[in-house]
């Protein structure tokens, strides 16, 4: 089922990111990721990329998240994808998309450029910014990842535009968080299993207690659901050009929402089965759970995407929800 | 870690056309069936409807043509089953036979059993009951006491099965029973194919909490079975019944039981949006969308000849939680607006059916034990 490119990308990213997480932005690691071609992987070869499929291109993002590596990898990937849609050419990273206004920009102070987005009557306007360091108002998310606000920017006229609805582009950006959550949840499940097999209380490993086994089983169901959610969103992103926004937006919205629910459950179970040690700074669980608590709200919280989906479900024509659901199934590409 | 994989399935144009064809047929065939009846989901019994499906080639789909089947893939069957359940079609008559008895007979039955029974299942004229649970053997199936004693002429069957859905309409039951001395906890079991018209069988109704009759108690009092009643190998009963349960656990009937209520809820709610309610509705839709792809993925793995036991248990556990949440979500969303009589009837039917969703086909606790074993914890 998996292409050889996919396995290769997975292997390379695991080699690169394993054991490198937990710290802040690491310029050397960023250079290594750039050398591996990860940030430009979605670009076609003529645009300076590798022409990877979306599944292949998002694989390093998932691995980096599982390793709690703080790099604007997915951000650069998507900014370049949007820029190429608008004919802006390849952008050296790190670079991120940011809606004009007040939103915090991921890794703002480390970015070479920002692709500023504005809602137009038809489509989304893009302008490239090169903000000076002093224009960033520093901030962080719950995991300590930089989320900086750009201050005192004069409004700039868009330099280019993409023929895509703003909500579709928001769904694209949310897919990055969905993929990250899927990676981190699987890593959390892995950490919990190892811990429960090793840690003994009352004379036997925690994993031998039925109450713990059932908690881990629930964690596994959520991890599987989050992985499928991420795969759905990435696959629908891949077919955006052929199946259209009508399929992609609800799929990505559902995926983000479901992965966020899984994140909440996974973090809760993980801390419970780890006991006090999982609550300590020295133990690496919080590197993942704090990220999950952040990512579930970034690029559209559950409530926001739920509102979108509820409206989508309620505005289907007379034949109801079911035909709309099956219309989102992935068509086999010839 | 040993988490199962759920590779995404893609739909071919032929599969999309099959879906459309089934949907168009159901729109016509069910146009007079009120929502409260469609809400019975796969406990709605209509032998004529089952025969009609058989005529259209939508039963026994994965069986080989030589046994009256259609050589279709598990994914094709999944698509038909999804459409039937989403529409609330009355599928109970053929449900057990088509879902689990036919694959069991195909895999373990004798040539004679395959030739005589499978074509009738595919035609929608032969119905089955499940003979697993007993009064003192619920989740602990290995404690079953029903026994088939071997004689010169075949077997003599004695014992009592419980919770047998539609035994009162079934032509056959596949009975899990003891045939030998148990050298181990799971040893000495077999499965026998019991013709329900044989003397010595009595079927008595057990009503559910809604007062409905679909369950039965089935007693076997010195029922004489021919030697070819044995299904599969003597002593292999445990392994066979586990593979039968894998078919029982993997399908869309594990998350679509309350879909008619989802539809009714959207019909009645349409014109009164509000923030808290929309959040509930949106979450419900998201969970359903992901569950559909998980279940479809299991069908894809079955179609490739795999036995995705762990993946099926995960889908069933998540599916039952979803099905049971639907009436609770409906209560929160609709609040005082439950005066529509059709909605109210659908709601009550689903509410009163919901406790069974996490019991039938393996309780939530059994499933989580299976998942824990898959994770290497047991």
């Amino acid at each position: 089922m998996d292409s050889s490119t996919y396995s290769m990308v997975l292997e390379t990213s695991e080699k690169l990111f394993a054991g490198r997480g937990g710290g802040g932005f690491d310029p050397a690691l960023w250079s290594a990721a750039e050398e591996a071609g990860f940030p430009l992987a979605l670009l076609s070869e003529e645009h300076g990329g590798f022409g990877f499929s979306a599944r292949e291109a998002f694989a390093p993002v998932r691995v980096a998240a599982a390793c709690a590596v703080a790099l604007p990898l997915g951000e650069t990937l998507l900014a370049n994808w949007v820029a190429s849609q608008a004919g802006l050419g390849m952008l050296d990273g790190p670079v991120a998309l940011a809606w004009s206004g007040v939103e915090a920009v991921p890794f703002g102070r480390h970015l070479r450029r920002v692709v500023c987005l504005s809602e137009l009557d038809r489509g989304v306007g893009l302008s490239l910014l090169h903000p000076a360091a002093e224009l960033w108002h520093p901030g962080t998310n719950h995991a300590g990842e930089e989320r900086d606000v750009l201050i005192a920017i004069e409004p700039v006229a868009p330099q280019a535009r993409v023929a895509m609805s703003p909500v579709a582009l928001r769904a694209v950006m949310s897919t990055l968080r969905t993929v990250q959550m899927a990676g981190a949840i699987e890593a959390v499940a892995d950490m919990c299993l190892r811990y429960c097999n090793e840690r003994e209380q009352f004379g036997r490993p925690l994993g031998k207690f039925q109450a713990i086994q059932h908690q881990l089983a629930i964690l596994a169901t959520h991890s599987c659901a989050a992985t499928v959610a991420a795969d759905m969103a990435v696959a629908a992103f891949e077919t955006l050009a052929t199946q259209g926004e009508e399929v992609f937006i609800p799929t990505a919205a559902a995926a983000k929402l479901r992965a966020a629910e899984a994140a909440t459950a996974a973090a809760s179970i993980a801390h419970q089965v780890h006991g006090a040690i999982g609550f300590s700074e020295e133990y690496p669980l919080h590197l993942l759970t704090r990220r999950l608590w952040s990512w579930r709200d970034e690029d559209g919280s559950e409530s926001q995407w739920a509102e979108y989906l509820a409206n989508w479900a309620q505005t289907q024509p007379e034949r109801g929800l079911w035909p709309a659901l099956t219309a989102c199934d992935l068509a086999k590409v010839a | 870690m040993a988490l199962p994989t759920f590779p995404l399935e893609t739909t071919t144009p032929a599969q999309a056309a099959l879906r459309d064809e089934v949907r168009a047929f159901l729109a016509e065939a069910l146009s007079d069936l009120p929502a409260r009846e469609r809400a019975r989901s796969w406990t709605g019994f209509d032998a004529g409807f089952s025969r009609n499906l058989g005529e259209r080639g939508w039963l026994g789909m994965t069986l080989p043509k030589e046994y009256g089947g259609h050589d279709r893939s598990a994914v094709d069957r999944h698509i038909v089953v999804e459409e039937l359940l989403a529409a609330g079609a009355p599928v109970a008559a053929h449900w057990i036979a088509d879902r689990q008895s036919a694959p069991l007979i195909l895999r373990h039955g004798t040539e004679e059993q395959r030739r005589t029974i499978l074509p009738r299942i595919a035609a929608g004229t032969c119905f089955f009951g499940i003979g697993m649970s007993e009064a003192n053997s619920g989740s602990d199936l290995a404690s079953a006491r029903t026994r088939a004693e071997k004689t010169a002429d075949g077997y003599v069957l004695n014992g009592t099965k419980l919770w047998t859905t539609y035994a009162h309409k079934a032509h056959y039951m596949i009975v899990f029973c003891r045939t030998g001395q148990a050298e181990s906890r799971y040893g000495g079991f077999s499965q026998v194919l019991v013709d329900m018209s044989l003397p010595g069988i009595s079927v008595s109704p057990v009503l559910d909490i809604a007062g409905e009759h679909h369950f039965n108690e089935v007693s076997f009092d010195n029922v004489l079975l021919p030697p070819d009643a044995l299904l599969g190998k003597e002593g292999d009963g445990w392994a066979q019944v586990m593979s039968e349960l894998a078919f029982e656990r993997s399908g869309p009937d594990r998350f679509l039981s309350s879909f008619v209520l989802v539809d009714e809820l959207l019909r009645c709610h349409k014109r009164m949006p509000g923030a808290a309610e929309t959040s509930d509705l949106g979450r419900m839709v998201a969970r359903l969308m992901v569950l559909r792809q998980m279940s479809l993925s299991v069908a894809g793995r079955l179609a490739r000849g795999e036995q995705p036991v762990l993946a099926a248990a995960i889908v069933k556990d998540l599916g039952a939680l979803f099905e049971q949440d639907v009436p609770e979500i409906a209560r929160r969303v609709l609040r005082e607006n439950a005066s529509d009589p059709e909605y109210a009837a659908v709601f009550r039917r689903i509410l009163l059916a919901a406790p069974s969703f996490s019991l039938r086909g393996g309780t939530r606790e059994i499933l989580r034990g299976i998942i824990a074993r898959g994770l290497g914890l047991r």
Side-chain angles (χ1 to χ4, degrees):
Chain A
M1 184 117 271
D2 288 336
S3 68
S4 59
T5 312
Y6 181 77
S7 319
M8 187 201 72
V9 171
L10 215 54
E11 198 181 314
T12 313
S13 11
E14 275 159 6
K15 212 174 284 175
L16 194 58
F17 297 133
R20 300 293 292 273
F25 177 81
D26 176 350
L29 191 56
W30 174 258
S31 301
E34 266 190 326
E35 258 169 57
F38 294 160
L40 301 177
L42 272 176
L43 295 185
S44 64
E45 288 176 50
E46 63 184 286
H47 286 110
F50 292 87
F52 277 11
S53 72
R55 182 168 154 74
E56 290 153 358
F58 274 104
V61 174
R62 191 183 296 205
V63 174
C67 297
V69 161
L71 288 180
L73 188 57
E75 284 83 353
T76 305
L77 199 68
L78 290 180
N80 264 288
W81 178 79
V82 171
S84 79
Q85 302 287 303
L88 283 179
M90 192 181 83
L91 307 174
D92 284 335
V95 54
L97 299 167
W99 292 93
S100 66
V102 292
E103 283 179 67
V105 182
F107 302 96
R109 73 196 82 160
H110 303 296
L111 300 178
R112 197 169 288 184
R113 274 183 280 211
V114 174
V115 180
C116 193
L117 306 169
S118 50
E119 296 195 10
L120 304 177
D121 284 342
R122 297 177 62 190
V124 177
L126 271 60
S127 38
L128 286 180
L129 304 179
H130 304 257
E134 63 272 18
L135 289 181
W136 289 108
H137 180 75
T140 56
N141 66 12
H142 306 311
E145 290 182 323
E146 292 89 342
R147 296 294 187 260
D148 304 327
V149 176
L150 203 47
I151 42 176
I153 278 283
E154 295 291 319
V156 276
Q159 295 164 254
R161 63 182 290 278
V162 280
M164 188 176 198
S165 69
V167 63
L169 188 48
R170 287 182 195 278
V172 168
M173 291 163 77
S174 82
T175 297
L176 163 60
R177 304 300 167 209
T178 306
V179 169
Q180 288 179 309
M181 285 192 280
I185 292 169
E186 196 175 341
V188 162
D190 203 20
M191 201 181 275
C192 288
L193 275 174
R194 268 187 283 126
Y195 182 76
C196 290
N197 280 326
E198 285 162 13
R199 168 80 172 169
E200 293 195 5
Q201 290 287 276
F202 305 102
R204 50 183 172 147
L206 292 182
K208 295 293 167 201
F209 291 89
Q210 196 177 45
I212 302 287
Q213 288 175 353
H214 285 200
Q215 288 303 301
L216 294 175
I218 296 168
L219 174 53
T221 66
H222 281 292
S223 179
C224 290
T227 298
V228 171
D231 289 347
M232 284 166 65
V234 168
F237 173 77
E238 182 92 64
T239 59
L240 193 48
T242 51
Q243 299 210 109
E245 291 185 358
E246 298 73 28
V247 169
F248 173 68
I249 303 171
T251 303
K256 174 70 163 66
L257 207 170
R258 184 63 185 88
E261 282 193 353
T264 303
S268 165
I269 291 171
H271 278 290
Q272 192 63 31
V273 301
H274 270 85
I277 190 69
F279 191 61
S280 69
E281 192 183 38
E282 66 163 296
Y283 194 88
L285 179 60
H286 70 94
L287 300 175
L288 295 166
T289 53
R290 287 163 65 208
R291 280 179 164 76
L292 290 173
W293 289 324
S294 302
W295 294 336
R296 62 184 179 171
D297 287 333
E298 291 177 352
D299 295 296
S301 67
E302 288 131 284
S303 301
Q304 286 168 298
W305 287 120
E307 195 170 326
Y308 175 86
L309 280 175
N311 187 52
W312 176 75
Q314 287 177 68
T315 50
Q316 293 303 323
E318 219 28 49
R319 296 181 64 194
L321 177 61
W322 185 253
L325 293 180
T326 60
C328 289
D329 286 345
L330 290 167
K332 185 156 272 169
V333 183
Chain B
M1 183 178 36
L3 284 181
T5 59
F6 288 86
L8 288 185
E9 276 299 304
T10 51
T11 310
T12 64
Q15 286 168 337
L18 171 65
R19 194 184 278 286
D20 288 345
E21 195 191 340
V22 178
R23 192 174 291 170
F25 162 75
L26 291 172
E28 177 77 28
L30 305 180
S31 58
D32 292 333
L33 196 65
R36 69 184 72 191
E37 290 304 315
R38 290 187 281 111
R40 289 181 191 275
S41 184
W42 45 283
T43 60
F45 191 103
D46 181 342
F49 180 80
S50 292
R51 197 167 52 243
N52 200 340
L53 288 183
E55 281 161 10
R56 275 156 210 277
W58 295 333
L59 298 182
M61 288 180 75
T62 61
L63 299 176
K65 284 199 169 123
E66 56 177 317
Y67 300 123
H70 304 281
D71 276 322
R72 306 288 287 258
S73 77
V75 175
D76 288 356
R77 177 179 181 272
H78 178 100
I79 287 168
V80 172
V81 166
E82 257 202 339
E83 289 299 318
L84 290 169
L85 294 168
V91 292
H94 67 265
W95 199 248
I96 308 292
D98 179 69
R99 181 179 68 186
Q100 62 199 80
S101 312
L104 190 68
I105 292 168
L106 180 68
R107 189 178 295 173
H108 300 291
T110 62
E111 189 59 19
E112 172 70 12
Q113 287 164 341
R114 291 185 199 150
R115 295 221 171 272
T116 53
I117 297 173
L118 295 181
R120 291 164 58 207
I121 292 179
T125 56
C126 182
F127 313 142
F128 273 68
I130 301 174
M132 295 190 200
S133 294
E134 297 178 10
N136 292 315
S137 301
S139 287
D140 183 12
L141 190 58
S143 70
R145 282 155 58 178
T146 297
R147 171 172 284 277
E149 205 69 55
K150 202 166 188 169
T151 67
D153 309 317
Y155 296 90
V156 181
L157 184 65
N158 278 292
T160 304
K161 292 290 174 183
L162 194 56
W163 315 120
T164 313
T165 299
Y166 285 111
H168 55 302
K169 311 250 192 182
H171 302 99
Y172 291 96
M173 253 175 89
I174 293 176
V175 175
F176 176 72
C177 57
R178 296 192 174 278
T179 43
Q181 291 307 314
E183 65 287 356
S184 73
R185 184 166 146 72
Y186 302 115
F189 285 110
S190 300
Q191 285 183 300
V192 290
L193 189 60
V194 178
D195 180 338
M196 293 297 280
S197 65
L198 289 174
I201 301 176
S202 53
V203 178
S204 38
V206 178
L207 304 188
D208 72 7
I209 59 172
E212 303 259 353
H213 173 208
H214 41 95
F215 289 142
N216 296 279
E217 185 184 74
V218 184
S219 295
F220 305 98
D221 180 15
N222 287 314
V223 178
L224 301 177
L225 302 176
D228 65 356
L230 179 71
L231 187 62
K233 283 206 194 83
E234 213 174 273
D236 276 2
W238 185 259
Q240 288 177 201
V241 88
M242 287 300 115
S243 81
E244 183 184 349
L245 278 168
F247 285 105
E248 188 174 342
R249 283 173 184 153
S250 58
D253 35 344
R254 297 314 177 181
F255 64 93
L256 284 176
S257 309
S258 42
F259 188 75
V260 173
L261 179 56
V262 173
D263 249 358
E264 279 291 293
L265 176 62
L266 288 170
R267 179 180 69 81
C268 292
H269 180 61
K270 244 170 197 165
R271 278 154 229 95
M272 38 177 307
E277 293 86 347
T278 52
S279 185
D280 268 331
L281 280 180
R283 283 166 187 264
M284 179 180 76
V285 171
R287 287 167 71 190
L288 181 54
M289 287 176 79
V290 176
L291 267 169
R292 277 196 67 237
Q293 296 306 320
M294 296 181 86
S295 179
L296 190 56
S297 169
V298 172
R301 292 187 57 190
L302 283 172
R304 291 189 290 277
E306 300 173 35
Q307 289 206 41
V309 175
L310 179 57
I314 285 173
V315 176
K316 177 162 160 27
D317 190 29
L318 288 172
L321 285 168
F322 170 79
E323 292 179 330
Q324 290 177 331
D325 261 0
V326 169
E328 297 310 311
I329 292 166
R331 285 178 62 235
R332 289 199 295 274
V333 169
L334 222 46
R335 292 187 287 186
E336 79 283 1
N337 194 34
S339 57
D340 181 288
E342 203 56 37
Y343 171 84
V346 168
F347 176 83
R348 180 170 301 171
R349 181 148 276 154
I350 301 292
L351 177 76
L352 296 183
S356 71
F357 299 163
S358 55
L359 301 174
R360 60 193 185 187
T363 65
R364 176 170 292 145
E365 290 68 28
I366 289 291
L367 293 174
R368 288 182 180 167
I370 291 170
I371 298 167
R373 183 175 296 120
L375 299 175
L377 293 166
R378 296 176 59 200

